[in-house]
Amino acid sequence: MKIVAFETQEQTVRVSWDDGRTEAFHHLWLRDHGASEGELHASTGERVVDFHSIPRDVRPLELGLEPDGRLRIAWSDGRETRHEGDWLRAQVYRGKDVNPEIAVPEPWRADMLERLTRFDYGQVVESEATQLQFLRRFLRDGFALLTGAPAREGEVERLAGRLGYLREICFGRLRDIRVEPSAYNIAFTDDVVRPHTDLANYAWPPGVQFLHCLVQEATGGDTRLVDGLAAAEQLRAEDPEAFQALTRVEVGFQIANDRYDVRTAAPVLTVGAEGGFRMIRFSNQARRAFSCPPELVEPFYRGYHRLSALLNDPGYQIHFRLAPGEILAMNNHRVLHARDAFDGGSGRRHLQIGSMEMDEILSRLRMLEKKVNDTGARISA
Ligand SMILES: [Fe+2]
């Protein structure tokens, strides 16, 4: 996008593009974001100028357009910066913590089931084009389903290896979900497991969980998913004070056995600097005591009560049965999963879980997107 006009004002430079839009950028911001010769490392491109060496009251002395369309500014500290029109435009303030680079999440409720599609596992592993589609869907919906994976142990590791790196946690690299005689976690029983996010007891719960179905012979044990983003936004619309209390009260979460004791205290809802939804941490089974300023107790419980009801409302959930060879990828900071009770005496049920960080997924997505952009949408298919 081409810069067509610019104007210096008291604290800002107003920039106009060829589509008629005008935005103002603060002087110091422009100077800071326009590192000039010697201020970036010659080979890595990393910033090497110390910020405090730039005068806080730095001012533009002279502005002009370069032949290539970049905005050139000569500054009062003797430096020059050059900004590209496209780059500047991409920085325009959007508010609400929206990162324009990342697919915009679309909240969903029970009718998502009608749109539920399954990606072919082999295609996602082998084809970058299909993998890109899969990752975009995953970011939009907060989950995605794969079908046709080998129903063998360790397959999640192979999938994760195509996308990035597994994150190890106290349970190990991969965790087996099946009935265990000395269960310390409700997942290892045949009881119902209500909607929850995994590993809420970690200061930073893994952002991505892969749930791989190996054996599904028992009666019952169906999977339910619910969009924590949809439920949280509903609560915010109904009761902003209660929503805010859920972002302020730090609740204890713990998972422990005779080998480890991992616990933390964190809010049920995390928002960005301007209130945009970032994370839900909801695990009734791992929830422990909390204490907070007295005035927050009532709004916290009001909000938690309503949120719990929304998350368990069938109108917000999708319900399906995982088959052997299916892998459910979940954004563990957004989508909650649940399991119906099953009859452990009626047959075996065995799943494996592996964790990743969302950073790895986003990195992979960027690399695939770059290939698309650089090659005119011709990536290996
Ligand atoms: Fe879980």
Side-chain angles (χ1 to χ4, degrees):
M1 201 161 289
K2 281 173 67 174
I3 295 172
V4 292
F6 44 84
E7 179 192 0
T8 306
Q9 300 194 315
E10 180 62 25
Q11 294 191 333
T12 63
V13 174
R14 289 173 64 81
V15 177
S16 300
W17 288 267
D18 55 358
D19 65 348
R21 182 152 177 180
T22 298
E23 295 287 344
F25 298 91
H26 283 81
H27 294 159
L28 188 55
W29 187 95
L30 281 169
R31 172 66 183 85
D32 179 36
H33 287 79
S36 53
E37 188 131 333
E39 296 186 342
L40 298 180
H41 190 278
S43 58
T44 70
E46 290 169 293
R47 195 191 304 266
V48 292
V49 61
D50 290 322
F51 182 68
H52 65 266
S53 69
I54 301 172
R56 275 174 55 202
D57 60 353
V58 69
R59 294 187 57 77
L61 300 179
E62 191 189 321
L63 292 87
L65 285 181
E66 296 279 82
D68 61 8
R70 289 184 297 167
L71 176 64
R72 181 182 54 78
I73 305 176
W75 295 94
S76 56
D77 67 350
R79 291 286 186 166
E80 282 195 356
T81 60
R82 286 167 179 79
H83 291 287
E84 289 175 2
D86 283 343
W87 185 89
L88 263 186
R89 182 58 175 265
Q91 311 308 317
V92 167
Y93 176 74
R94 286 176 173 78
K96 288 291 174 198
D97 312 305
V98 172
N99 184 342
E101 177 202 31
I102 295 167
V104 178
E106 294 180 12
W108 49 264
R109 296 185 187 183
D111 60 357
M112 158 61 78
L113 194 59
E114 297 153 22
R115 309 193 293 279
L116 193 64
T117 53
R118 288 168 163 82
F119 287 84
D120 180 78
Y121 178 77
Q123 286 279 307
V124 167
V125 169
E126 301 302 330
S127 155
E128 292 178 327
T130 310
Q131 195 175 111
L132 184 56
Q133 288 174 4
F134 166 75
L135 294 179
R136 284 176 178 153
R137 178 74 60 86
F138 173 72
L139 290 171
R140 188 191 74 182
D141 296 339
F143 77 97
L145 257 176
L146 294 161
T147 193
R152 67 181 173 216
E153 294 186 23
E155 195 61 30
V156 163
E157 182 131 26
R158 181 172 167 230
L159 172 61
R162 297 305 296 242
L163 302 173
Y165 306 93
L166 278 178
R167 170 175 160 187
E168 292 191 51
I169 52 134
C170 63
F171 302 152
R173 285 175 73 73
L174 298 181
R175 283 83 72 190
D176 290 294
I177 305 295
R178 57 189 161 196
V179 176
E180 291 183 4
S182 55
Y184 58 91
N185 184 298
I186 201 166
F188 308 127
T189 71
D190 58 5
D191 294 327
V192 62
V193 182
R194 300 284 183 207
H196 65 283
T197 55
D198 278 345
L199 303 162
N201 56 316
Y202 273 80
W204 185 252
V208 182
Q209 293 286 86
F210 294 108
L211 185 61
H212 181 202
C213 180
L214 298 169
V215 181
Q216 185 80 285
E217 294 168 351
T219 307
D222 289 5
T223 296
R224 292 174 192 270
L225 296 181
V226 56
D227 187 0
L229 169 63
E233 292 301 347
Q234 177 65 26
L235 174 66
R236 187 193 329 237
E238 291 177 10
D239 190 343
E241 186 196 24
F243 177 95
Q244 212 198 11
L246 292 187
T247 69
R248 292 186 57 199
V249 174
E250 294 197 323
V251 177
F253 294 95
Q254 180 187 25
I255 296 179
N257 67 5
D258 55 0
R259 290 186 294 116
Y260 49 77
D261 181 348
V262 182
R263 59 175 91 176
T264 194
V268 172
L269 299 176
T270 304
V271 295
E274 296 190 54
F277 175 93
R278 287 282 171 83
M279 187 198 302
I280 182 168
R281 184 190 298 255
F282 192 96
S283 177
N284 215 33
Q285 59 264 37
R287 186 164 65 92
R288 299 291 181 265
F290 73 92
S291 74
C292 67
E295 66 274 15
L296 286 179
V297 174
E298 198 283 326
F300 170 83
Y301 273 128
R302 205 168 74 227
Y304 194 74
H305 195 272
R306 180 64 177 142
L307 186 64
S308 179
L310 287 166
L311 295 171
N312 284 280
D313 180 345
Y316 278 78
Q317 298 179 345
I318 60 171
H319 172 201
F320 55 93
R321 185 172 176 80
L322 280 176
E326 291 190 330
I327 299 178
L328 174 60
M330 298 175 286
N331 176 345
N332 189 48
H333 293 177
R334 172 183 165 190
V335 168
L336 294 79
H337 57 287
R339 179 192 75 204
D340 290 352
F342 63 98
D343 177 0
S346 65
R348 291 193 307 138
R349 185 180 190 275
H350 182 195
L351 298 97
Q352 274 195 324
I353 296 189
S355 304
M356 279 183 71
E357 290 300 347
M358 190 64 83
D359 306 82
E360 312 291 353
I361 297 288
L362 294 174
S363 166
R364 177 70 179 159
L365 181 79
R366 285 183 201 112
M367 299 313 288
L368 292 173
E369 298 265 19
K370 258 184 216 162
K371 268 192 177 179
V372 171
N373 293 334
D374 293 351
T375 60
R378 292 275 80 84
I379 59 177
S380 69

